[in-house]
Amino acid sequence: FKQKTAYEIMPSLVGSEMCIRDRMKGMTNKKRILSGVQPTGDLHIGNWLGAISNWVALQEKHETFLCVVDLHAITTEYDPKQLSKNTLSTAALYVACGIDPKICSIFVQSQISAHSELCWILNCMTPINWMERMIQFKEKSVQQGNNVSIGLFDYPILMAADILLYDADYVPVGEDQKQHLELARDIAQQRINAKFSKGENILKIPQPIIMKKGSKIMSLNDGSKKMSKSDINEGSRINLLDTPEIITKKIKRAKSDSYMGMEFNNPERPESRNLLMIYSLLSGKEVSELENDLSQTGWGTFKKIFTEQLIESLKPIQERYQVLINDPYELNKILIEGKEKAEAVANKTLSRVKSELGFFEMEK
Ligand code: AQP
């Protein structure tokens, strides 16, 4: 996998104002990053190409906090027997994908109670009609039928708490999370800073980082639908831990069309566009070069080349994952160290928010 460097900080959102943390920071001048993935199942290539690979590209130059957002994972139906296993496996995949635990803090969200506490405070500050606009809630609640939890509705506020606790400058995410990021900014700016700051801002206003390529990898069954862990059809996605046999089978069955040659910009061919994008990201070749090379190639041949590339790109991740998942001592150590660093930052922000919002403080 060729590391991407082309990303954009959403132009409409530029301008992260100074906050109290900037004045007090001292420890490092690096800009801070916060991001995470829910342990709702096996991570797929969309999570990798749209989010985790960006963290890898950014980690050297930023102070990076990466959580496994397990509190988010219970906002939809889940299996308690799988939660802890998926949490560990997600953390191991961060490292297997190239995150260096020596320079990044990797931790589990539910281990730091400040996330839930700040979430409650932000709940009380956020107008309900802001929440009713959230597209992901609308989409996911349709899938849940009569079983929609308050947690699912509240998901974006918990996400805002995750981000704001770390005074994150940047939040690298896929396209689907952009609206949630905008909400976090609005809550911080309009409902906390504007109402309660006496001078400097209480909370940092974060900016999303969305990669120009790979920010929305689509389903293998429907090129107009996002690839997703919760899609009931397992064949709609390639998981990072899929074996070569499974990958081959899934790509063979992936939706194609009746055209000859691969194209990127034909609106009638979303599946061709999606696979070309993935192939370009994995091979490091430009889409235009691929379109040229593959203009006379049929789906059968392309799928074979594509499958080989996928298997080759995922192999090193799978090998590193196997080493780590079989070394619970090492994984635990990474998560303990990550938690210690993250908790210190989170608790500091929470105290600051509580103090500025008028909560009673014990005499020391
Ligand atoms: N298809 C995708 N293409 C690019 N980026 C994606 N992300 C998710 N799907 C794609 C990005 O991965 C990060 C982690 O996502 P998440 O697990 O926190 O939740 P999600 O966005 O809801 O991802 P899924 O896979 O669709 O999970 P489920 O089905 O459990 O909801 C985010 O940065 C996201 O943008």
Side-chain angles (χ1 to χ4, degrees), residues 50-334:
I52 301 174
S53 70
N54 310 344
W55 311 345
V56 174
L58 294 161
Q59 63 181 339
E60 292 279 346
K61 295 211 168 105
H62 298 82
E63 190 190 1
T64 305
F65 289 88
L66 300 171
C67 50
V68 180
V69 287
D70 55 346
L71 293 172
H72 285 269
I74 64 164
T75 56
T76 50
E77 195 98 8
Y78 77 102
D79 179 356
K81 287 193 210 95
Q82 291 297 319
L83 183 61
S84 159
K85 190 173 151 278
N86 286 344
T87 301
L88 263 191
S89 152
T90 303
L93 275 171
Y94 288 180
V95 181
C97 288
I99 293 298
D100 181 353
K102 290 199 188 75
I103 54 172
C104 302
S105 307
I106 303 174
F107 62 99
V108 177
Q109 182 192 31
S110 66
Q111 305 250 307
I112 300 184
S113 57
H115 288 253
S116 308
E117 205 176 330
L118 184 62
C119 175
W120 177 255
I121 294 174
L122 301 182
N123 278 340
C124 298
M125 301 298 148
T126 308
I128 213 159
N129 66 333
W130 286 14
M131 303 300 293
E132 284 163 352
R133 294 183 210 134
M134 295 297 116
I135 296 162
Q136 197 177 72
F137 173 73
K138 287 182 196 161
E139 287 172 358
K140 287 202 173 172
S141 53
V142 169
Q143 292 163 15
Q144 303 289 306
N146 285 331
N147 202 13
V148 181
S149 71
I150 300 222
L152 187 64
F153 187 63
D154 204 27
Y155 176 115
I157 300 195
L158 179 58
M159 180 168 158
D162 300 337
I163 297 163
L164 299 172
L165 267 183
Y166 296 90
D167 287 321
D169 294 282
Y170 302 123
V171 185
V173 284
E175 188 70 40
D176 61 323
Q177 295 294 338
K178 188 176 152 212
Q179 193 189 31
H180 292 165
L181 243 298
E182 283 164 357
L183 179 85
R185 287 172 58 90
D186 289 345
I187 295 172
Q189 185 53 42
Q190 297 175 40
R191 310 302 292 196
I192 302 286
N193 290 345
K195 285 175 92 169
F196 298 98
S197 293
K198 295 175 200 90
E200 279 166 280
N201 282 335
I202 299 167
L203 291 172
K204 181 97 192 173
I205 311 298
Q207 296 175 53
I209 292 186
I210 300 189
M211 300 307 273
K212 287 194 172 135
K213 287 166 85 181
S215 64
K216 199 166 186 188
I217 301 296
M218 309 311 263
S219 155
L220 297 180
N221 297 334
D222 179 352
S224 61
K225 206 172 127 198
K226 185 181 89 100
M227 185 178 284
S228 190
K229 284 186 236 95
S230 54
D231 191 318
I232 48 165
N233 192 337
E234 179 65 28
S236 65
R237 59 186 166 266
I238 299 289
N239 297 325
L240 296 183
L241 300 177
D242 279 348
T243 61
E245 294 71 35
I246 292 179
I247 293 174
T248 308
K249 210 182 264 174
K250 283 181 178 174
I251 298 303
K252 249 188 206 152
R253 290 185 187 158
K255 189 172 172 200
S256 57
D257 56 38
S258 52
Y259 290 78
M260 180 68 180
M262 304 310 292
E263 284 180 290
F264 191 71
N265 287 318
N266 185 341
E268 287 172 14
R269 306 191 62 197
E271 287 78 25
S272 167
R273 180 189 176 88
N274 187 37
L275 293 201
L276 269 184
M277 171 56 83
I278 298 171
Y279 190 52
S280 160
L281 288 166
L282 298 178
S283 65
K285 292 183 186 156
E286 287 302 322
V287 167
S288 53
E289 185 189 340
L290 291 176
E291 266 192 311
N292 228 4
D293 293 351
L294 300 166
S295 62
Q296 300 304 315
T297 307
W299 275 98
T301 310
F302 175 63
K303 280 186 171 184
K304 268 194 201 127
I305 308 170
F306 183 87
T307 302
E308 278 165 22
Q309 178 69 58
L310 250 180
I311 293 171
E312 192 195 310
S313 300
L314 292 180
K315 195 168 167 230
I317 294 180
Q318 297 178 348
E319 286 172 355
R320 284 197 294 264
Y321 173 83
Q322 284 311 329
V323 172
L324 202 55
I325 207 70
N326 289 312
D327 187 353
Y329 175 79
E330 179 61 18
L331 202 47
N332 218 36
K333 187 166 150 264
I334 290 171

